[in-house]
């Protein structure tokens, strides 16, 4: 079992600061936000310099490739190109696992493919894409973990598990994000029934209010310290542990309010919360 510092909990801060904070707060590794790594490279730094900066700190996940249901010819081509780029970046920094997200991640943006599909079509297009993503990943010995966003059409745990089963890609599993699953009404007993080998990553987070409250894409309902919100975190952690999962855990505090605080103290506090829940 590994506890990662999640770069989404320190969103305003750059790639190098995430590495430093993760190392200095005793995390086992870091989940790198791909946009932070891209910005680092766009400023003229190299992947070799990124590897040097990591200095052996494991990159336990790369977040993320979005909108995985893209169905148009051009959209699918862009998706697969993004997956290949993500694989190359992950490989370069020693990461073997990449996060995938259902869409539309931004429902106000131009990508709206899933909103015009019925569930059968949505499943079919997603399965087709996952098969191609899995093939790309195998070229790099790369795994993926699919996270279903609460405001997207493909968000129910049962639907995600069915899609993964039908895609039958041994290098694509599921991410368990407490906030997203809470907001679509998931029963933790359903999580406990998942084969632990299907789970690749756990995001422990809390929620403001009952399921479905503040569950939109602005994610305002996440702006609460874990343990101070509505999700019974110990129940959910115990449900995950019942699956036999023994991989990467992180506390994800996607909260603009908390991003204004000292990132070292935030990271230390989140690590302590997770340690307490796991022990």
């Amino acid at each position: 079992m590994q506890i990662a510092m999640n770069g989404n909990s320190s969103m305003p801060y750059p790639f190098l600061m995430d590495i430093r904070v993760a190392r200095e707060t005793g995390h086992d590794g870091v989940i790198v936000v791909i946009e932070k790594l891209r910005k680092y490279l766009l400023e003229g730094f190299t992947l070799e310099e990124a590897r040097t900066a990591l200095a052996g700190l494991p990159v336990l996940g790369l977040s993320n490739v979005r909108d995985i249901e893209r169905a148009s010819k051009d959209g699918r081509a862009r998706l697969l190109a993004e997956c290949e780029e993500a694989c190359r970046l992950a490989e370069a920094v020693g990461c073997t696992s990449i996060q995938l997200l259902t869409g539309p991640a931004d429902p106000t943006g131009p990508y709206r493919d899933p909103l015009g599909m019925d569930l059968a079509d949505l499943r079919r297009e997603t399965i087709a894409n996952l098969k191609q993503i899995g093939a790309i990943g195998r070229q790099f010995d790369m795994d993926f973990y699919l996270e279903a966003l609460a405001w997207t059409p493909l968000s129910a745990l049962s639907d995600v598990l069915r899609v993964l089963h039908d895609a039958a890609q041994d290098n694509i599993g599921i991410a368990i994000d407490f906030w997203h699953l809470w907001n679509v009404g998931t029963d933790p007993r359903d999580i406990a029934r998942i084969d632990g080998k299907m789970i690749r990553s756990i995001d422990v987070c809390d929620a403001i209010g009952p399921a479905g409250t503040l569950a939109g894409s602005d994610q305002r309902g996440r702006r609460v310290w874990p343990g101070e919100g509505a999700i019974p975190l110990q129940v959910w952690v115990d449900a995950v542990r019942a699956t036999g999962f023994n991989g990467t855990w992180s506390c994800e505090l996607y909260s603009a309010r908390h991003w204004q605080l000292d990132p070292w103290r935030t990271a230390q506090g989140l690590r302590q919360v997770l340690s307490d829940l796991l022990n």
Side-chain angles (χ1 to χ4, degrees):
M1 181 169 21
Q2 300 161 305
I3 295 180
M5 195 197 92
N6 193 316
N8 284 324
S9 298
S10 55
M11 190 58 81
Y13 300 104
F15 171 68
L16 289 183
M17 184 174 285
D18 281 355
I19 293 171
R20 180 179 172 188
V21 171
R23 181 177 288 115
E24 293 180 1
T25 54
H27 284 79
D28 299 315
V30 62
I31 295 175
V32 169
V33 176
I34 196 169
E35 283 303 320
K36 296 187 183 187
L37 181 54
R38 286 184 182 132
K39 288 178 180 178
Y40 177 80
L41 298 173
L42 283 172
E43 292 302 329
F45 298 101
T46 66
L47 285 169
E48 182 177 354
E49 288 173 304
R51 286 192 297 271
T52 300
L54 284 161
L57 181 72
V59 178
L60 298 174
L62 186 68
S63 170
N64 51 56
V65 176
R66 301 180 172 192
D67 302 332
I68 53 118
E69 319 84 350
R70 282 177 257 184
S72 70
K73 181 178 179 180
D74 289 344
R76 180 168 286 132
R78 286 193 298 272
L79 169 64
L80 299 179
E82 289 167 18
C83 286
E84 184 168 345
E85 180 220 12
C87 285
R88 293 187 187 282
L89 291 175
E91 182 182 55
V93 296
C95 176
T96 61
S97 196
I98 298 169
Q99 182 187 48
L100 306 172
L101 298 180
T102 60
D106 177 7
T108 66
Y111 171 69
R112 304 182 65 80
D113 290 9
L115 303 180
M117 298 182 199
D118 62 26
L119 186 55
D121 288 342
L122 183 58
R123 287 173 177 158
R124 185 184 65 250
E125 298 297 343
T126 304
I127 290 165
N129 288 350
L130 288 176
K131 289 180 177 180
Q132 295 190 65
I133 291 169
I136 291 170
R138 282 187 287 276
Q139 298 173 33
F140 297 87
D141 292 325
M142 197 66 59
D143 281 351
F144 299 91
Y145 50 102
L146 176 58
E147 180 172 316
L149 305 182
W151 59 87
T152 65
L154 186 64
S155 58
L157 178 61
S158 58
D159 290 332
V160 174
L161 291 172
R162 178 175 173 181
V163 161
L164 290 171
H165 176 270
D166 291 348
Q169 299 299 295
D170 59 6
N171 61 338
I172 305 180
I174 191 170
I176 301 296
D177 180 292
F178 288 10
W179 185 82
H180 288 294
L181 290 173
W182 166 263
N183 275 299
V184 296
T186 305
D187 188 321
R189 289 173 293 186
D190 292 331
I191 295 173
R193 286 189 280 267
I194 300 173
D195 182 347
K197 295 176 182 176
M198 282 289 297
I199 303 173
R200 299 292 196 272
S201 185
I202 309 295
D203 292 336
V204 174
C205 30
D206 217 328
I208 297 173
T213 304
L214 296 177
S217 61
D218 61 8
Q219 301 190 66
R220 293 184 63 84
R222 301 185 79 134
R223 298 183 182 188
V224 59
W225 188 262
E228 298 178 0
I231 302 176
L233 295 184
Q234 192 65 63
V235 172
W236 282 58
V237 166
D238 291 347
V240 172
R241 301 203 63 178
T243 69
F245 173 76
N246 195 36
T248 298
W249 295 72
S250 74
C251 266
E252 184 179 23
L253 186 58
Y254 196 88
S255 167
R257 174 179 175 83
H258 292 89
W259 293 339
Q260 302 307 311
L261 304 178
D262 181 327
W264 276 267
R265 290 188 178 182
T266 297
Q268 287 171 337
L270 293 176
R271 189 183 186 285
Q272 188 61 55
V273 166
L274 193 44
S275 295
D276 291 346
L277 287 167
L278 292 172
N279 294 314

